[in-house]
Amino acid sequence: MPEVVVTFYGHIRDVAPQGKMELGLPAGSTVADLLQRLVAELGEPFRERAFDEYGQLLPSLKVIVAGEVVEELEQVLGGEGAQVAVVVVPPVIGG
């Protein structure tokens, strides 16, 4: 079972306790599985900040796994006993 540590930044951080969560997921879990688990754990506030009205991940939201931006939500998170660092980042606007 991969141990996943999710860190949230920006406006999405408001929905997570201390801006971070630790979750155990079954082996073979994907990024999509993780996102659905986050919706189940964090509820509607997370869903509203992360997904559009069709249930698609907002294109402005980036999920980073082990330092790499995820391009495919079907990417597997890790094997048995793996510890995976995941970052959920909204776009940064600045000047």
Side-chain angles (χ1 to χ4, degrees):
M1 174 179 296
E3 194 64 33
V4 180
V5 178
V6 184
T7 306
F8 303 89
Y9 291 96
H11 72 280
I12 207 152
R13 186 178 198 278
D14 298 337
V15 302
Q18 293 92 36
K20 186 178 275 194
M21 290 183 71
E22 293 184 28
L23 301 167
L25 294 173
S29 291
T30 64
V31 174
D33 296 329
L34 169 64
L35 292 171
Q36 290 307 309
R37 174 77 180 274
L38 291 172
V39 168
E41 296 279 334
L42 299 172
E44 207 54 35
F46 178 76
R47 183 189 310 276
E48 290 171 356
R49 288 175 173 86
F51 296 93
D52 65 18
E53 64 270 18
Y54 305 107
Q56 300 297 312
L57 185 67
L58 292 172
S60 60
L61 195 71
K62 300 298 177 206
V63 178
I64 301 169
V65 176
E68 299 288 327
V69 175
V70 171
E71 300 295 333
E72 292 290 326
L73 295 183
E74 294 309 312
Q75 176 180 328
V76 175
L77 287 170
E80 189 71 31
Q83 186 168 28
V84 182
V86 177
V87 178
V88 181
V89 184
V92 176
I93 299 173

